[in-house]
Amino acid sequence: MSTRSRIARLNNDGSITSIYCHFDGYLDGVGAMLLGHYTTQDKVDALIALGDLSILGETIGEKQDFDSARGTAMCLAYGRDRGEKGVDAVHSVNHAALLDLVKDSWEEYVYLFDGGWSYLRVRDGGKFQPLTQDLCED
C-alpha cells in the first residue's frame, strides 16, 4: 500500500510549485529522505523539475527502466523514466490553493521547502510544522 505525498517549494513571489510522490510519503520515508538528501535550493529545484515521482531516491539520478529500477538509490520519475505526459510540476498561487489541490486527493502529507523543510498531514489540516530529524525516526 502506498502513502502518497506532495513535495513543494515556496517561490520568491509567494506561489508554490509542487510534485506528487506515490510511495513512502510518511515522515520516516519521504520526510527523512528530504532532510537527508535535499537540503539546498539547487537540489530541491532539480527535484521539482523532475516532475511527479513514483519513488523519491537519494539522488535525482539518470533515466532508467521504470519497471526494473526499484531498489536503486535514484528517483523513479513518471515522465523521465516511463515517458508519461502531464506529470510536470504544478503551480499554486498560495498556500490555500496548494491545500485545495490536495484536500480531495489520496495524498497524506505535504512537504514544503522554504530554506528548510516543513510538513503538513493533510487529514489534520492546520499549519505546516517544522520537519525535524526526530520526527523522521521509527
Side-chain angles (χ1 to χ4, degrees), residues 6-68:
R6 182 153 294 274
I7 301 168
R9 148 192 94 212
L10 184 66
N11 301 314
N12 291 334
D13 64 0
S15 66
I16 297 170
T17 305
S18 66
I19 59 173
Y20 167 79
C21 185
H22 191 73
F23 285 106
D24 297 335
Y26 43 86
L27 296 174
D28 61 348
V30 166
M33 189 69 68
L34 292 170
L35 280 179
H37 301 282
Y38 297 93
T39 57
T40 67
Q41 190 69 50
D42 288 343
K43 286 185 178 183
V44 173
D45 289 348
L47 178 63
I48 298 292
L50 194 54
D52 292 349
L53 303 174
S54 176
I55 299 171
L56 175 64
E58 294 173 2
T59 66
I60 299 293
E62 301 172 350
K63 183 171 174 49
Q64 57 193 313
D65 181 338
F66 189 89
D67 295 321
S68 64

Side-chain angles (χ1 to χ4, degrees), residues 65-135:
D65 181 338
F66 189 89
D67 295 321
S68 64
R70 287 169 176 41
T72 71
M74 295 185 290
C75 290
L76 190 58
Y78 292 114
R80 178 191 69 189
D81 301 321
R82 193 156 68 178
E84 288 187 24
K85 304 292 182 209
V87 293
D88 294 333
V90 296
H91 189 77
S92 302
V93 295
N94 56 31
H95 282 86
L98 175 66
L99 296 179
D100 281 345
L101 176 69
V102 299
K103 74 177 180 181
D104 294 324
S105 72
W106 290 90
E107 296 167 27
E108 295 185 42
Y109 291 90
V110 178
Y111 297 94
L112 179 65
F113 186 80
D114 180 15
W117 286 105
S118 59
Y119 78 99
L120 172 76
R121 193 167 188 185
V122 174
R123 72 174 177 216
D124 295 341
K127 297 180 179 181
F128 280 91
Q129 303 293 320
L131 183 64
T132 58
Q133 192 61 44
D134 61 310
L135 292 171

